[in-house]
Amino acid sequence: MHCLVTGATGYIGGRLAPRLVEAGHRVRCLSRDAGRLRDVPWAGQVEIVEADLSDPAGLPPAFEGVEVAYFLMHSLGQKDFEHRDREAAANFATAARAAGVRRIIYLGGPEPPPGDRPSPHLRSRAEVARILLASGVPTAVLRAPVIIGSGSASFEMLRYLTERLPAMVTPRWVCNRIQPIAVRDVLRYLIDAAGLPPEVHRGFDIGGADVLTYAEMMRRYAVVAGLPRRFILPTRVLSPWLSAHWVGLVTPVPNAIARPLVASLVHEAVARENDLAGLLPGPPPLGFDEAVRLALGRIRTAEVETRWSSACGRDAAAEPLPSDPDWSGGSVYTDERSRPVSAPADRLWRVIEGVGGDNGWYSFPLAWSVRGWVDRLAGGVGLRRGRRDRHHLRVGEALDWWRVEEIVPGELLRLRAEMRVPGRAWLEMRAEPAGPDGSVYRQRAVFLPRGLAGHLYWATIWPFHGIVFSGMARNIARGAAR
Protein backbone atom coordinates (compact mmCIF):
# COMPACT_ATOMS: atom_id res chain seq x y z
CA MET A 1 0.00 0.00 0.00
CA HIS A 2 0.96 3.64 -0.30
CA CYS A 3 1.36 4.89 3.29
CA LEU A 4 1.77 8.40 4.67
CA VAL A 5 3.58 8.71 8.00
CA THR A 6 3.40 11.92 10.00
CA GLY A 7 5.70 12.32 12.98
CA ALA A 8 8.55 10.45 11.26
CA THR A 9 11.09 12.52 13.23
CA GLY A 10 9.58 11.27 16.49
CA TYR A 11 10.05 8.16 18.58
CA ILE A 12 7.37 5.87 17.06
CA GLY A 13 7.28 7.38 13.56
CA GLY A 14 11.05 7.07 13.18
CA ARG A 15 10.75 3.33 13.80
CA LEU A 16 7.51 2.73 11.92
CA ALA A 17 8.59 4.19 8.56
CA PRO A 18 11.49 1.75 7.88
CA ARG A 19 9.40 -1.21 9.06
CA LEU A 20 6.61 -0.31 6.67
CA VAL A 21 9.22 -0.32 3.90
CA GLU A 22 10.43 -3.76 5.06
CA ALA A 23 6.81 -4.97 4.92
CA GLY A 24 6.65 -4.01 1.25
CA HIS A 25 4.72 -0.75 1.45
CA ARG A 26 5.50 2.50 -0.36
CA VAL A 27 6.14 5.14 2.29
CA ARG A 28 5.87 8.91 2.19
CA CYS A 29 6.97 10.85 5.27
CA LEU A 30 5.51 14.27 6.03
CA SER A 31 7.70 16.65 7.99
CA ARG A 32 7.62 20.40 8.43
CA ASP A 33 11.43 20.29 8.11
CA ALA A 34 12.50 17.68 5.56
CA GLY A 35 16.14 18.28 6.46
CA ARG A 36 15.62 16.56 9.81
CA LEU A 37 15.18 13.24 7.98
CA ARG A 38 18.21 13.73 5.77
CA ASP A 39 20.60 11.56 7.77
CA VAL A 40 18.37 8.67 8.88
CA PRO A 41 19.57 5.34 7.43
CA TRP A 42 16.31 4.74 5.57
CA ALA A 43 15.98 8.20 3.99
CA GLY A 44 16.69 6.86 0.49
CA GLN A 45 13.92 4.27 0.76
CA VAL A 46 11.05 6.69 1.38
CA GLU A 47 9.62 9.82 -0.18
CA ILE A 48 9.97 12.87 2.05
CA VAL A 49 7.61 15.82 1.63
CA GLU A 50 7.78 19.09 3.52
CA ALA A 51 4.46 20.33 4.87
CA ASP A 52 2.98 21.58 8.12
CA LEU A 53 -0.24 20.15 9.55
CA SER A 54 -1.08 23.61 10.88
CA ASP A 55 -1.24 24.90 7.28
CA PRO A 56 -4.02 23.07 5.37
CA ALA A 57 -3.12 24.75 2.07
CA GLY A 58 0.11 22.76 1.79
CA LEU A 59 -1.34 19.33 2.59
CA PRO A 60 -3.05 18.12 -0.65
CA PRO A 61 0.22 17.15 -2.44
CA ALA A 62 1.32 15.15 0.61
CA PHE A 63 -1.90 13.09 0.62
CA GLU A 64 -2.14 12.54 -3.13
CA GLY A 65 -2.37 8.83 -3.96
CA VAL A 66 -2.14 7.77 -0.29
CA GLU A 67 -4.16 4.73 0.82
CA VAL A 68 -3.22 4.56 4.53
CA ALA A 69 -2.36 7.63 6.61
CA TYR A 70 -0.74 7.42 10.06
CA PHE A 71 -1.33 10.25 12.52
CA LEU A 72 1.58 10.11 14.99
CA MET A 73 1.87 13.80 15.81
CA HIS A 74 1.83 14.99 19.41
CA SER A 75 2.90 18.36 20.76
CA LEU A 76 3.68 17.07 24.25
CA GLY A 77 5.93 19.45 26.14
CA GLN A 78 4.59 22.62 24.53
CA LYS A 79 2.34 24.97 26.46
CA ASP A 80 -0.51 24.97 23.93
CA PHE A 81 -0.25 21.28 22.96
CA GLU A 82 -4.03 20.70 23.15
CA HIS A 83 -4.75 23.46 20.63
CA ARG A 84 -1.89 22.39 18.37
CA ASP A 85 -2.99 18.76 18.32
CA ARG A 86 -6.66 19.68 17.76
CA GLU A 87 -5.75 21.87 14.79
CA ALA A 88 -3.37 19.31 13.30
CA ALA A 89 -5.92 16.49 13.62
CA ALA A 90 -8.69 18.54 11.99
CA ASN A 91 -6.48 19.51 9.04
CA PHE A 92 -5.19 15.94 8.71
CA ALA A 93 -8.74 14.54 8.68
CA THR A 94 -9.92 17.05 6.07
CA ALA A 95 -6.97 16.39 3.77
CA ALA A 96 -7.34 12.61 4.12
CA ARG A 97 -11.03 12.71 3.22
CA ALA A 98 -10.45 15.01 0.25
CA ALA A 99 -7.67 12.75 -1.09
CA GLY A 100 -9.75 9.58 -0.84
CA VAL A 101 -7.52 7.93 1.78
CA ARG A 102 -8.87 4.46 2.57
CA ARG A 103 -7.74 4.23 6.23
CA ILE A 104 -6.46 6.44 9.03
CA ILE A 105 -4.44 4.87 11.87
CA TYR A 106 -3.81 6.80 15.08
CA LEU A 107 -1.73 5.85 18.11
CA GLY A 108 -3.42 7.42 21.12
CA GLY A 109 -3.43 6.99 24.88
CA PRO A 110 -5.53 4.89 27.27
CA GLU A 111 -9.00 5.92 28.34
CA PRO A 112 -9.27 6.62 32.10
CA PRO A 113 -11.76 4.49 34.07
CA PRO A 114 -15.36 5.81 34.10
CA GLY A 115 -15.78 8.63 36.57
CA ASP A 116 -12.11 9.69 36.49
CA ARG A 117 -11.30 13.18 35.30
CA PRO A 118 -8.73 12.76 32.49
CA SER A 119 -5.44 14.60 32.56
CA PRO A 120 -4.88 17.26 29.85
CA HIS A 121 -2.55 14.82 28.07
CA LEU A 122 -5.14 12.03 27.91
CA ARG A 123 -7.95 14.49 27.23
CA SER A 124 -6.05 15.76 24.19
CA ARG A 125 -5.40 12.21 22.96
CA ALA A 126 -9.10 11.39 23.26
CA GLU A 127 -10.09 14.60 21.45
CA VAL A 128 -7.77 13.81 18.53
CA ALA A 129 -9.29 10.32 18.35
CA ARG A 130 -12.81 11.79 18.14
CA ILE A 131 -11.79 14.20 15.38
CA LEU A 132 -10.22 11.42 13.29
CA LEU A 133 -13.15 9.03 13.85
CA ALA A 134 -15.48 11.79 12.64
CA SER A 135 -13.46 12.34 9.47
CA GLY A 136 -15.59 10.10 7.25
CA VAL A 137 -12.53 7.90 6.61
CA PRO A 138 -12.38 4.40 8.18
CA THR A 139 -10.19 4.92 11.24
CA ALA A 140 -8.44 2.65 13.70
CA VAL A 141 -7.44 4.25 17.01
CA LEU A 142 -4.89 2.22 18.98
CA ARG A 143 -4.90 3.17 22.67
CA ALA A 144 -1.52 2.32 24.20
CA PRO A 145 -0.50 2.71 27.88
CA VAL A 146 3.17 2.88 28.97
CA ILE A 147 5.44 1.87 26.07
CA ILE A 148 8.55 -0.11 27.02
CA GLY A 149 11.38 0.36 24.55
CA SER A 150 14.89 1.73 24.39
CA GLY A 151 14.71 5.50 24.25
CA SER A 152 11.01 5.99 25.04
CA ALA A 153 10.20 8.72 27.56
CA SER A 154 8.18 6.33 29.73
CA PHE A 155 10.96 3.75 29.78
CA GLU A 156 13.65 6.36 30.52
CA MET A 157 11.54 7.60 33.42
CA LEU A 158 11.22 4.07 34.82
CA ARG A 159 14.87 3.24 34.18
CA TYR A 160 16.42 6.29 35.87
CA LEU A 161 14.07 6.28 38.86
CA THR A 162 14.88 2.64 39.53
CA GLU A 163 18.62 2.80 38.89
CA ARG A 164 19.30 6.01 40.82
CA LEU A 165 17.04 5.51 43.84
CA PRO A 166 17.58 2.25 45.76
CA ALA A 167 15.01 3.47 48.30
CA MET A 168 12.31 6.02 47.61
CA VAL A 169 9.25 7.67 49.05
CA THR A 170 6.81 7.69 46.16
CA PRO A 171 3.45 9.23 45.29
CA ARG A 172 0.41 7.00 45.70
CA TRP A 173 -0.05 6.62 41.94
CA VAL A 174 2.73 3.99 41.97
CA CYS A 175 0.01 1.62 43.25
CA ASN A 176 -2.16 2.11 40.17
CA ARG A 177 -2.40 -0.79 37.73
CA ILE A 178 -0.80 -0.46 34.28
CA GLN A 179 -0.60 -2.82 31.32
CA PRO A 180 2.74 -1.84 29.72
CA ILE A 181 3.43 -2.85 26.13
CA ALA A 182 6.70 -3.44 24.28
CA VAL A 183 7.46 -1.01 21.47
CA ARG A 184 7.89 -3.88 19.01
CA ASP A 185 4.29 -4.98 19.70
CA VAL A 186 3.05 -1.42 19.18
CA LEU A 187 4.84 -1.28 15.83
CA ARG A 188 3.45 -4.67 14.78
CA TYR A 189 -0.11 -3.56 15.55
CA LEU A 190 0.39 -0.29 13.65
CA ILE A 191 1.71 -2.09 10.56
CA ASP A 192 -0.89 -4.86 10.58
CA ALA A 193 -3.74 -2.36 11.11
CA ALA A 194 -3.16 -1.14 7.54
CA GLY A 195 -4.84 -4.36 6.37
CA LEU A 196 -8.01 -4.01 8.45
CA PRO A 197 -11.24 -4.30 6.40
CA PRO A 198 -12.99 -0.99 5.62
CA GLU A 199 -15.91 -1.69 7.94
CA VAL A 200 -13.60 -1.56 10.98
CA HIS A 201 -14.00 1.96 12.34
CA ARG A 202 -13.35 2.24 16.08
CA GLY A 203 -10.85 2.42 18.91
CA PHE A 204 -8.91 -0.53 20.35
CA ASP A 205 -7.09 -1.03 23.63
CA ILE A 206 -3.64 -2.56 23.23
CA GLY A 207 -1.39 -3.80 26.02
CA GLY A 208 1.28 -6.30 26.91
CA ALA A 209 1.01 -9.67 28.62
CA ASP A 210 1.28 -8.35 32.21
CA VAL A 211 -0.80 -6.07 34.40
CA LEU A 212 1.39 -4.46 37.08
CA THR A 213 1.50 -1.50 39.39
CA TYR A 214 4.20 1.08 38.74
CA ALA A 215 5.91 -0.04 41.96
CA GLU A 216 5.95 -3.63 40.68
CA MET A 217 7.40 -2.39 37.39
CA MET A 218 10.28 -0.70 39.25
CA ARG A 219 10.98 -3.80 41.33
CA ARG A 220 10.90 -6.11 38.31
CA TYR A 221 13.06 -3.72 36.31
CA ALA A 222 15.65 -3.93 39.11
CA VAL A 223 15.65 -7.73 38.89
CA VAL A 224 16.09 -7.76 35.09
CA ALA A 225 18.83 -5.10 35.28
CA GLY A 226 20.68 -7.01 38.01
CA LEU A 227 20.18 -4.34 40.68
CA PRO A 228 19.63 -4.92 44.40
CA ARG A 229 16.06 -4.94 45.65
CA ARG A 230 14.36 -1.53 45.59
CA PHE A 231 12.44 -0.29 48.64
CA ILE A 232 9.36 1.76 47.82
CA LEU A 233 7.15 3.58 50.31
CA PRO A 234 4.01 5.15 48.77
CA THR A 235 2.68 8.31 50.42
CA ARG A 236 -0.20 10.71 49.88
CA VAL A 237 2.05 13.75 50.42
CA LEU A 238 3.50 13.92 46.89
CA SER A 239 1.01 15.57 44.55
CA PRO A 240 1.26 15.04 40.76
CA TRP A 241 2.85 18.51 40.50
CA LEU A 242 5.55 17.64 43.06
CA SER A 243 5.97 14.21 41.47
CA ALA A 244 6.67 15.79 38.08
CA HIS A 245 9.40 18.00 39.54
CA TRP A 246 10.87 15.01 41.33
CA VAL A 247 10.90 13.04 38.06
CA GLY A 248 12.39 16.05 36.27
CA LEU A 249 15.29 16.23 38.72
CA VAL A 250 16.09 12.51 38.85
CA THR A 251 15.57 11.49 35.22
CA PRO A 252 16.54 12.98 31.83
CA VAL A 253 12.86 13.72 31.08
CA PRO A 254 12.30 17.50 31.56
CA ASN A 255 9.41 18.92 33.56
CA ALA A 256 7.50 19.96 30.45
CA ILE A 257 7.18 16.29 29.45
CA ALA A 258 7.25 14.75 32.93
CA ARG A 259 4.19 16.73 34.04
CA PRO A 260 1.72 15.30 31.48
CA LEU A 261 3.21 11.80 31.80
CA VAL A 262 2.87 11.81 35.58
CA ALA A 263 -0.63 13.28 35.38
CA SER A 264 -1.58 10.37 33.12
CA LEU A 265 -0.16 7.79 35.56
CA VAL A 266 -2.67 9.00 38.15
CA HIS A 267 -5.22 6.90 36.20
CA GLU A 268 -5.16 3.14 35.86
CA ALA A 269 -4.27 2.05 32.32
CA VAL A 270 -5.49 -1.50 31.75
CA ALA A 271 -6.98 -2.78 28.49
CA ARG A 272 -10.73 -3.39 28.77
CA GLU A 273 -10.85 -5.50 25.62
CA ASN A 274 -8.51 -7.39 23.33
CA ASP A 275 -10.50 -7.22 20.10
CA LEU A 276 -7.59 -6.18 17.89
CA ALA A 277 -5.79 -9.46 18.53
CA GLY A 278 -8.77 -11.29 17.00
CA LEU A 279 -8.68 -9.13 13.88
CA LEU A 280 -4.89 -9.22 13.47
CA PRO A 281 -3.58 -12.76 14.04
CA GLY A 282 -0.01 -12.84 15.28
CA PRO A 283 2.17 -13.85 18.22
CA PRO A 284 1.00 -12.87 21.70
CA PRO A 285 2.46 -9.63 23.06
CA LEU A 286 5.65 -9.77 25.10
CA GLY A 287 5.68 -9.76 28.86
CA PHE A 288 7.15 -6.89 30.85
CA ASP A 289 10.41 -8.62 31.78
CA GLU A 290 11.22 -9.58 28.19
CA ALA A 291 10.40 -6.07 26.95
CA VAL A 292 12.80 -4.58 29.53
CA ARG A 293 15.49 -7.15 28.65
CA LEU A 294 15.26 -6.25 24.95
CA ALA A 295 15.33 -2.49 25.66
CA LEU A 296 18.38 -2.77 27.91
CA GLY A 297 20.13 -4.91 25.30
CA ARG A 298 19.65 -2.17 22.72
CA ILE A 299 21.01 0.46 25.10
CA ARG A 300 24.07 -1.60 26.03
CA THR A 301 24.98 -2.30 22.40
CA ALA A 302 24.31 1.32 21.34
CA GLU A 303 21.57 0.26 18.90
CA VAL A 304 18.89 2.73 19.96
CA GLU A 305 17.04 3.70 16.75
CA THR A 306 15.08 6.66 18.07
CA ARG A 307 14.69 8.43 21.40
CA TRP A 308 11.98 10.51 23.01
CA SER A 309 14.21 13.54 22.49
CA SER A 310 14.25 12.90 18.72
CA ALA A 311 11.03 14.87 18.51
CA CYS A 312 11.23 18.63 18.28
CA GLY A 313 11.94 20.59 21.44
CA ARG A 314 10.37 23.84 22.58
CA ASP A 315 12.54 25.86 20.17
CA ALA A 316 11.97 23.53 17.23
CA ALA A 317 10.28 26.22 15.19
CA ALA A 318 13.18 28.62 15.66
CA GLU A 319 14.83 29.79 12.46
CA PRO A 320 18.31 28.44 11.71
CA LEU A 321 21.44 30.45 12.39
CA PRO A 322 21.08 33.73 10.49
CA SER A 323 23.57 34.03 7.65
CA ASP A 324 23.03 37.71 6.88
CA PRO A 325 26.34 39.50 7.57
CA ASP A 326 24.54 42.38 9.24
CA TRP A 327 22.39 40.00 11.30
CA SER A 328 19.27 41.72 10.01
CA GLY A 329 20.08 44.82 12.02
CA GLY A 330 19.91 43.00 15.37
CA SER A 331 22.49 42.67 18.11
CA VAL A 332 24.76 39.64 18.12
CA TYR A 333 27.47 38.41 20.45
CA THR A 334 30.13 35.96 19.30
CA ASP A 335 33.01 34.08 20.84
CA GLU A 336 35.41 32.80 18.16
CA ARG A 337 38.51 30.68 18.73
CA SER A 338 40.86 28.62 16.60
CA ARG A 339 43.79 26.32 17.28
CA PRO A 340 46.31 24.50 15.09
CA VAL A 341 46.09 20.71 15.45
CA SER A 342 48.97 18.31 14.88
CA ALA A 343 46.65 15.71 13.37
CA PRO A 344 44.80 15.39 10.05
CA ALA A 345 41.30 16.81 9.75
CA ASP A 346 39.61 13.40 9.77
CA ARG A 347 41.01 12.65 13.25
CA LEU A 348 39.98 16.09 14.47
CA TRP A 349 36.48 15.49 13.10
CA ARG A 350 36.11 12.26 15.06
CA VAL A 351 36.73 14.19 18.27
CA ILE A 352 34.28 16.92 17.25
CA GLU A 353 31.51 14.47 16.37
CA GLY A 354 32.02 12.65 19.66
CA VAL A 355 31.22 15.69 21.80
CA GLY A 356 28.58 15.54 24.55
CA GLY A 357 26.78 12.74 26.35
CA ASP A 358 29.10 10.39 28.24
CA ASN A 359 32.05 11.86 26.30
CA GLY A 360 31.51 15.27 27.90
CA TRP A 361 32.33 18.73 26.54
CA TYR A 362 36.11 18.60 26.91
CA SER A 363 36.30 21.51 29.34
CA PHE A 364 35.48 22.39 32.97
CA PRO A 365 32.96 19.59 33.68
CA LEU A 366 31.80 21.25 36.88
CA ALA A 367 30.77 24.43 35.05
CA TRP A 368 28.79 22.43 32.46
CA SER A 369 27.16 20.38 35.23
CA VAL A 370 26.16 23.44 37.26
CA ARG A 371 24.72 25.14 34.17
CA GLY A 372 22.79 21.97 33.39
CA TRP A 373 21.32 21.85 36.90
CA VAL A 374 20.36 25.51 36.72
CA ASP A 375 18.53 24.80 33.47
CA ARG A 376 16.73 21.81 35.01
CA LEU A 377 15.62 23.88 38.00
CA ALA A 378 14.27 26.48 35.56
CA GLY A 379 12.22 23.77 33.84
CA GLY A 380 14.63 23.24 30.92
CA VAL A 381 16.11 20.07 29.46
CA GLY A 382 19.51 20.29 31.17
CA LEU A 383 22.43 18.11 30.13
CA ARG A 384 20.91 14.69 30.77
CA ARG A 385 19.33 14.02 27.39
CA GLY A 386 22.74 12.71 26.33
CA ARG A 387 23.13 11.37 22.81
CA ARG A 388 21.65 8.46 20.86
CA ASP A 389 24.97 7.07 19.60
CA ARG A 390 28.39 7.46 21.21
CA HIS A 391 30.24 8.19 17.97
CA HIS A 392 27.85 9.47 15.28
CA LEU A 393 25.28 12.27 15.07
CA ARG A 394 22.35 13.04 12.78
CA VAL A 395 20.67 16.32 11.86
CA GLY A 396 17.71 16.93 14.16
CA GLU A 397 18.97 14.83 17.07
CA ALA A 398 19.07 16.08 20.63
CA LEU A 399 22.54 16.35 22.15
CA ASP A 400 22.33 17.23 25.85
CA TRP A 401 20.81 20.74 25.82
CA TRP A 402 21.54 21.26 22.12
CA ARG A 403 19.80 20.23 18.89
CA VAL A 404 21.97 19.20 15.92
CA GLU A 405 21.09 21.82 13.32
CA GLU A 406 23.66 21.01 10.62
CA ILE A 407 26.38 18.48 9.88
CA VAL A 408 28.80 18.54 6.99
CA PRO A 409 30.69 15.27 7.59
CA GLY A 410 34.36 15.87 8.20
CA GLU A 411 33.91 19.65 8.24
CA LEU A 412 31.14 21.25 10.31
CA LEU A 413 28.94 20.55 13.33
CA ARG A 414 26.41 23.26 14.23
CA LEU A 415 24.32 22.98 17.39
CA ARG A 416 21.32 25.10 18.40
CA ALA A 417 20.69 25.62 22.12
CA GLU A 418 17.44 24.38 23.65
CA MET A 419 18.25 25.39 27.21
CA ARG A 420 16.32 28.26 28.75
CA VAL A 421 18.10 31.47 27.75
CA PRO A 422 16.77 34.96 26.98
CA GLY A 423 17.66 34.74 23.30
CA ARG A 424 18.89 32.27 20.70
CA ALA A 425 22.27 30.56 20.82
CA TRP A 426 24.41 28.35 18.60
CA LEU A 427 27.75 26.57 18.83
CA GLU A 428 29.76 25.77 15.69
CA MET A 429 32.79 23.47 15.47
CA ARG A 430 34.84 23.09 12.29
CA ALA A 431 37.74 20.93 11.12
CA GLU A 432 39.85 22.46 8.33
CA PRO A 433 42.80 20.72 6.60
CA ALA A 434 46.20 22.41 6.95
CA GLY A 435 48.88 20.48 5.13
CA PRO A 436 49.26 16.69 4.85
CA ASP A 437 49.42 15.96 8.59
CA GLY A 438 47.82 18.98 10.19
CA SER A 439 44.50 20.78 10.58
CA VAL A 440 42.88 23.79 12.21
CA TYR A 441 40.09 23.64 14.75
CA ARG A 442 37.65 26.58 14.58
CA GLN A 443 34.98 27.20 17.19
CA ARG A 444 32.29 29.88 17.25
CA ALA A 445 29.56 30.58 19.80
CA VAL A 446 26.79 32.92 18.63
CA PHE A 447 24.14 34.53 20.83
CA LEU A 448 21.24 36.72 19.68
CA PRO A 449 19.87 38.39 22.84
CA ARG A 450 16.18 38.98 23.43
CA GLY A 451 15.53 42.23 25.24
CA LEU A 452 17.51 43.67 28.13
CA ALA A 453 17.56 40.29 29.88
CA GLY A 454 19.48 38.84 26.93
CA HIS A 455 22.18 41.50 27.08
CA LEU A 456 22.53 41.10 30.86
CA TYR A 457 22.73 37.32 30.46
CA TRP A 458 25.65 37.55 28.02
CA ALA A 459 27.47 40.07 30.23
CA THR A 460 27.05 37.75 33.23
CA ILE A 461 28.38 34.59 31.59
CA TRP A 462 31.09 36.28 29.49
CA PRO A 463 33.85 35.80 32.14
CA PHE A 464 33.13 32.05 32.23
CA HIS A 465 33.30 31.77 28.44
CA GLY A 466 36.96 32.70 28.56
CA ILE A 467 37.61 29.63 30.71
CA VAL A 468 35.10 27.16 29.26
CA PHE A 469 35.42 27.87 25.52
CA SER A 470 39.20 28.32 25.52
CA GLY A 471 39.61 25.08 27.46
CA MET A 472 37.23 23.34 25.08
CA ALA A 473 39.20 24.40 22.01
CA ARG A 474 42.51 23.43 23.65
CA ASN A 475 41.31 19.99 24.75
CA ILE A 476 39.66 19.15 21.43
CA ALA A 477 42.94 19.93 19.68
CA ARG A 478 44.86 17.80 22.18
CA GLY A 479 42.37 14.96 21.89
CA ALA A 480 42.77 14.85 18.11
CA ALA A 481 46.55 14.87 18.43
CA ARG A 482 46.43 11.92 20.86
Side-chain angles (χ1 to χ4, degrees):
M1 299 181 186
H2 194 183
C3 302
L4 176 70
V5 177
T6 62
T9 58
Y11 179 72
I12 292 293
R15 299 188 181 209
L16 177 65
R19 284 165 176 76
L20 286 170
V21 172
E22 291 173 5
H25 300 298
R26 291 172 55 206
V27 178
R28 178 183 296 160
C29 295
L30 183 153
S31 175
R32 62 179 175 179
D33 181 2
R36 295 192 63 224
L37 292 172
R38 186 191 71 191
D39 295 335
V40 296
W42 40 268
Q45 300 173 285
V46 303
E47 178 189 359
I48 301 172
V49 297
E50 194 166 88
D52 192 333
L53 286 176
S54 66
D55 179 13
L59 296 181
F63 282 80
E64 185 177 353
V66 168
E67 297 168 271
V68 179
Y70 288 88
F71 188 88
L72 303 175
M73 302 291 293
H74 195 30
S75 305
L76 191 65
Q78 301 189 36
K79 291 181 180 179
D80 54 349
F81 73 89
E82 289 188 81
H83 169 74
R84 287 172 177 264
D85 287 352
R86 182 186 311 118
E87 180 184 47
N91 292 337
F92 180 96
T94 301
R97 181 174 62 249
V101 170
R102 300 203 316 225
R103 172 156 301 282
I104 290 173
I105 301 173
Y106 169 53
L107 180 63
E111 288 187 341
D116 278 15
R117 183 179 178 181
S119 67
H121 167 52
L122 293 183
R123 183 175 64 220
S124 174
R125 291 290 181 114
E127 182 181 27
V128 168
R130 287 193 297 271
I131 291 171
L132 298 178
L133 286 166
S135 65
V137 178
T139 299
V141 174
L142 277 55
R143 298 186 288 259
V146 171
I147 295 177
I148 303 297
S150 59
S152 82
S154 297
F155 181 69
E156 291 294 280
M157 226 172 81
L158 173 70
R159 175 187 168 208
Y160 278 84
L161 286 174
T162 308
E163 290 186 355
R164 293 184 172 179
L165 300 174
M168 60 193 100
V169 176
T170 60
R172 58 184 176 180
W173 52 256
V174 300
C175 298
N176 290 344
R177 296 186 309 150
I178 302 167
Q179 192 169 350
I181 183 170
V183 66
R184 64 173 53 194
D185 289 320
V186 174
L187 294 169
R188 178 171 61 85
Y189 284 134
L190 287 170
I191 294 168
D192 292 350
L196 287 170
E199 62 270 17
V200 176
H201 179 71
R202 52 166 288 194
F204 297 92
D205 291 338
I206 60 173
D210 300 315
V211 176
L212 307 164
T213 66
Y214 203 89
E216 290 171 334
M217 288 167 59
M218 287 191 283
R219 291 191 181 102
R220 286 174 64 165
Y221 175 95
V223 172
V224 175
L227 302 172
R229 184 183 176 188
R230 268 34 192 168
F231 296 93
I232 301 168
L233 177 64
T235 177
R236 293 178 176 270
V237 175
L238 289 173
S239 67
W241 182 84
L242 284 173
S243 301
H245 282 277
W246 165 59
V247 169
L249 287 174
V250 175
T251 80
V253 182
N255 288 353
I257 294 178
R259 278 195 300 270
L261 289 180
V262 167
S264 300
L265 291 171
V266 171
H267 311 285
E268 290 202 336
V270 178
R272 299 173 199 164
E273 42 83 11
N274 191 30
D275 298 347
L276 193 62
L279 294 170
L280 303 175
L286 297 177
F288 175 78
D289 293 356
E290 182 62 17
V292 169
R293 193 172 292 111
L294 289 170
L296 289 177
R298 290 282 188 178
I299 292 170
R300 288 165 182 162
T301 58
E303 295 179 301
V304 180
E305 293 178 64
T306 58
R307 300 174 66 231
W308 62 270
S309 55
S310 303
C312 296
R314 68 183 184 91
D315 293 328
E319 296 177 1
L321 176 64
S323 56
D324 179 57
D326 294 327
W327 299 92
S328 302
S331 300
V332 60
Y333 295 107
T334 62
D335 181 291
E336 299 187 51
R337 301 176 189 272
S338 64
R339 292 188 71 90
V341 181
S342 56
D346 61 335
R347 276 168 50 187
L348 172 58
W349 174 252
R350 287 200 296 273
V351 177
I352 291 173
E353 194 179 10
V355 72
D358 291 338
N359 300 333
W361 290 87
Y362 306 125
S363 174
F364 206 165
L366 179 60
W368 286 92
S369 179
V370 169
R371 182 63 182 87
W373 273 104
V374 169
D375 193 54
R376 297 286 291 189
L377 292 171
V381 296
L383 281 176
R384 282 182 289 171
R385 292 191 301 185
R387 48 185 294 155
R388 180 192 56 84
D389 184 279
R390 186 177 178 85
H391 303 290
H392 302 291
L393 296 172
R394 300 173 186 165
V395 168
E397 283 191 324
L399 176 61
D400 289 330
W401 64 45
W402 307 92
R403 180 78 55 179
V404 180
E405 185 173 275
E406 181 59 272
I407 298 177
V408 179
E411 298 179 21
L412 167 69
L413 173 62
R414 180 184 300 136
L415 307 173
R416 186 181 74 239
E418 291 190 337
M419 56 189 154
R420 291 187 177 272
V421 291
R424 297 161 58 196
W426 293 264
L427 178 62
E428 284 187 342
M429 291 173 276
R430 295 178 180 269
E432 297 180 0
D437 299 314
S439 56
V440 176
Y441 171 67
R442 299 194 186 280
Q443 175 180 295
R444 180 171 72 142
V446 177
F447 181 67
L448 273 65
R450 183 175 60 246
L452 178 60
H455 293 277
L456 293 175
Y457 172 80
W458 182 265
T460 301
I461 65 170
W462 173 251
F464 299 100
H465 277 183
I467 302 172
V468 173
F469 284 147
S470 64
M472 185 177 180
R474 180 177 61 253
N475 292 331
I476 286 177
R478 286 177 178 174
R482 286 197 299 268

